[in-house]
Amino acid sequence: MAEEIHGANTVIPWCMVWTTLFNGTLRLAMLIVVLFVTVHVETKLASPTGSLSFPFMQIFYDATGSLSGATAVICIIIIMDICAAIAFLATASRIVFALGRDSPLPFWRTMSTMFQPDSAILLYAIIVMAAVSCTIGLINIGSSTAFNAIISVGVSSLYASYVVVEAMLFYHRLAGTIRHANQIAGTTWHPNEFVWGPFHVPGVWCILLNAVGSASKVSY
């Protein structure tokens, strides 16, 4: 989606930074509150909702002391999950559209086609990704073990893709092969050379961030 944003080389990084800070602060506050009101964890796990793998429902009910209050809090979480699912579907369908445009996917002509010439709806890509998501979800009906294994492979692949990028960036930072834009002024730029964009962390902090990021993802 970055190619549809003006000034994406600075707008996207700052959006990621502010999103991480904002959501991280809210998540930390929510975690502290939940831990503060959670007592007798075994009781929550053995509750009717806990036996269905939703112990947080019992936690909210015990914390509010009201069925209506617990329902309202749970509805907020459901709404957030729906919004997250829409965002994930939009992102995945946009990636499928971009890959179809570069023709490495089966039926790439269809995948790279808009629903209507004057429309921005990627209907075919959305249908494919929705079908894939529903199919993976149906696996949980037959075997939760198989479902968890597939999800684990997907998450591990996602982290592996992050580690490869961060490790290569970490290597080139240490090797000093990334130049600044003013260093290539008046010289010949080669396609294999790396040049810093307008958004990057300078100095030793960048090396520390790359090292911590790569190590944390490898530990996962």
Side-chain angles (χ1 to χ4, degrees), residues 18-196:
W18 286 112
T19 300
T20 301
L21 292 176
F22 184 72
N23 290 339
T25 303
L26 293 180
R27 289 179 61 181
L28 180 60
M30 187 68 178
L31 178 61
I32 293 174
V33 172
V34 171
L35 292 177
F36 182 77
V37 301
T38 301
V39 293
H40 306 298
V41 177
E42 294 78 9
T43 304
K44 303 298 186 294
L45 295 175
S47 65
T49 58
S51 60
L52 296 175
S53 301
F54 300 111
F56 68 91
M57 294 183 178
Q58 187 66 39
I59 294 174
F60 293 156
Y61 177 70
D62 294 340
T64 59
S66 168
L67 183 60
S68 300
T71 302
V73 177
I74 294 170
C75 287
I76 294 175
I77 295 179
I78 293 175
I79 292 173
M80 290 191 297
D81 287 341
I82 293 174
C83 294
I86 294 174
F88 291 150
L89 181 61
T91 302
S93 60
R94 189 64 181 80
I95 293 174
V96 170
F97 172 78
L99 290 175
R101 190 177 52 190
D102 296 334
S103 66
L105 294 178
F107 308 105
W108 60 270
R109 288 186 176 87
T110 303
M111 295 299 98
S112 60
T113 303
M114 295 287 186
F115 177 58
Q116 293 178 351
D118 57 345
S119 172
I121 300 176
L122 312 176
L123 180 63
Y124 303 111
I126 292 174
I127 292 175
V128 169
M129 293 313 304
V132 170
S133 300
C134 293
T135 302
I136 295 177
L138 292 175
I139 297 176
N140 193 34
I141 300 177
S143 174
S144 59
T145 303
F147 174 78
N148 291 331
I150 294 175
I151 296 300
S152 298
V153 171
V155 174
S156 300
S157 301
L158 185 64
Y159 277 113
S161 66
Y162 294 157
V163 169
V164 170
V165 175
E166 290 189 0
M168 293 301 297
L169 182 59
F170 181 62
Y171 167 77
H172 285 287
R173 285 181 189 272
L174 294 178
T177 55
I178 308 178
R179 298 196 295 173
H180 293 274
N182 56 2
Q183 293 177 335
I184 64 173
T187 63
T188 302
W189 179 81
H190 301 285
N192 294 328
E193 286 185 320
F194 295 96
V195 181
W196 287 116

